[in-house]
Amino acid sequence: MRIVDLRSDTVTLPTPAMRQAMFEAELGDDVMGEDPTVNRLEAVAAERLGKEAAVFVPSGTMANLVCLLAHCGRGEEAIMGHRAHTFLFEAGGSAAVGGIHPRTVPNQPDGTLDLDQVEAAIRDANNPHYPRSRLICLENTHNRCSGAVLTPAYMAQVRALADRYGLGIHMDGARIFNAAVALGVPPALVARDADSVSFCLSKGLSAPVGSLVCGPAEFVRQARRQRKLLGGGMRQAGVLAAAGLVALETMVDRLADDHANARRLAEGLARLPGIVLDPERIQTNIVILDLAPGAATAAELAAALAARGVKVGVTEPRQVRAVTHYGIEGSDIDYGLETARAVLGE
Ligand code: TLP
């Protein structure tokens, strides 16, 4: 059976060039700072994001966690969207490990936080009842807001607010290269107003494993210490970093194809009965659709599609997510749409 796997861009497999680079990678002990391939990846990542330094970590979850631990102490508060990956899907790590208090503000459908609401959430530092506000966390692109992109203009407003109150800004940039490609600007501009940025090599960029934390040199030194604390100090990690370097060199520009495929998928799906979806809102590679009351549930739709080889994710009882990525071609989008038509009717 033909399989079209749209569950996530995390399912991408490494390219032949990545496997070759992994085979040939020059290696050393990275905890001792001696893996030349990891060192090169960290230098390239910092340079791409316009930051002083970077540290390679095993996952996006750990990347966000080391950043939160480096920004906030126990009993301090991090303001984040109610749909933030860090809030929803990271096992409560910052609270469990760091004693960090998450304070949510509603995400707007475009992935932003309303800045008046953020300001209202900032605590009075002189009132002993309150945790101390320390950090604003943003996500770009925003996974649960259908891959929405935060603009540099919005980020500049967040920066101004954070500076007024002496807060830091962390950007969960798991898909920051999707944001940069969609905006048509360098990733350093997308990252400019964040103090720290995490990004993933193992999503749309198709490397098998790994994320980076980028920021000022002293911050990255702290993040490296937190990585060690969490057990994320890896030894000959250059086998992984080698694939990451190929990802940064060869897999960024093609993200535009994923965005075009996602838009076409959304346009086709929006025409089907029971699907509530505005294709104009799809800016990158994530399509989230709602199912109208009375239509199939998300689990029923996902099961019916999977029985025909089209895999999608269930994000809520009446919500489905489809993600385009390397390995999904235009013909796979056609097949996905044909299958959805067969399941839901025209
Ligand atoms: N997201 C995964 C799932 O965990 C939901 C996905 O399939 O999209 N930040 C953002 C914005 C993410 O979307 C993810 C992964 C992470 C962080 C965590 O990355 P990993 O999976 O490497 O720990």
Side-chain angles (χ1 to χ4, degrees):
M1 182 167 63
R2 180 173 184 169
I3 299 291
V4 175
D5 192 346
L6 301 169
R7 286 172 303 166
S8 181
D9 46 9
T10 59
V11 303
T12 43
L13 296 175
T15 64
M18 287 180 195
R19 289 183 188 264
Q20 190 61 34
M22 292 171 82
F23 182 70
E24 290 168 0
E26 237 188 298
L27 303 175
D29 187 327
D30 178 50
V31 176
M32 298 183 187
E34 291 174 6
D35 188 301
T37 310
V38 172
N39 291 343
R40 199 156 3 106
L41 174 64
E42 291 177 346
V44 170
E47 192 261 324
R48 289 287 178 94
L49 265 66
K51 303 294 181 198
E52 266 176 14
V55 57
F56 184 49
V57 298
S59 69
T61 299
M62 193 184 287
N64 286 330
L65 182 52
V66 301
C67 286
L68 267 78
L69 292 172
H71 280 290
C72 305
R74 300 189 76 78
E76 293 183 337
E77 199 162 70
I79 297 170
M80 59 187 79
H82 77 306
R83 293 189 190 281
H85 194 277
T86 306
F87 181 62
L88 291 176
F89 302 124
E90 297 180 9
S94 63
V97 182
I100 300 164
H101 201 244
R103 173 79 184 268
T104 57
V105 166
N107 275 113
Q108 304 302 305
D110 65 359
T112 60
L113 304 178
D114 178 286
L115 294 183
D116 290 335
Q117 291 183 0
V118 173
E119 187 163 10
I122 298 171
R123 310 282 193 163
D124 172 1
N126 294 318
N127 186 328
H129 292 86
Y130 295 147
R132 260 183 211 285
S133 303
R134 189 62 78 192
L135 186 67
I136 301 172
C137 298
L138 296 159
E139 190 173 311
N140 199 7
T141 65
H142 202 292
N143 182 343
R144 289 298 292 271
C145 294
S146 215
V149 175
L150 303 181
T151 63
Y154 172 74
M155 287 303 302
Q157 290 179 299
V158 181
R159 181 78 265 170
L161 176 63
D163 287 347
R164 277 212 301 287
Y165 290 90
L167 305 184
I169 300 178
H170 171 64
M171 181 183 281
D172 174 354
R175 298 183 179 83
I176 196 171
F177 288 93
N178 294 83
V181 166
L183 290 163
V185 304
L189 178 56
V190 183
R192 182 190 60 195
D193 287 313
D195 298 295
S196 58
V197 180
S198 57
F199 77 85
C200 294
L201 296 166
S202 56
K203 298 196 164 60
L205 300 185
S206 306
V209 179
S211 290
L212 286 120
V213 165
C214 305
E218 174 52 27
F219 177 87
V220 169
R221 216 172 59 78
Q222 294 299 330
R224 201 176 282 282
R225 184 178 174 75
Q226 300 300 342
R227 179 187 72 168
K228 189 72 186 122
L229 179 150
L230 296 171
M234 300 178 286
R235 301 294 177 175
Q236 286 71 37
V239 282
L240 303 173
L245 280 162
V246 175
L248 289 177
E249 280 153 18
T250 66
M251 300 299 281
V252 173
D253 293 343
R254 62 155 305 288
L255 294 172
D257 300 344
D258 298 342
H259 300 175
N261 280 336
R263 178 61 84 95
R264 196 160 69 78
L265 179 66
E267 283 165 357
L269 290 172
R271 288 191 205 108
L272 300 183
I275 289 186
V276 181
L277 166 64
D278 176 5
E280 294 293 315
R281 283 196 44 226
I282 306 306
Q283 297 173 280
T284 60
N285 68 328
I286 300 180
V287 177
I288 292 184
L289 60 87
D290 293 307
L291 293 163
T297 66
E300 286 163 355
L301 176 59
L305 292 171
R308 292 164 167 85
V310 177
K311 299 185 183 182
V312 296
V314 172
T315 44
E316 284 178 20
R318 309 203 70 83
Q319 193 182 71
V320 161
R321 185 182 79 153
V323 185
T324 58
H325 50 79
Y326 172 66
I328 296 294
E329 307 295 334
S331 64
D332 296 312
I333 301 299
D334 295 335
Y335 183 71
L337 285 172
E338 264 167 46
T339 309
R341 249 176 248 132
V343 167
L344 289 167
E346 293 280 351

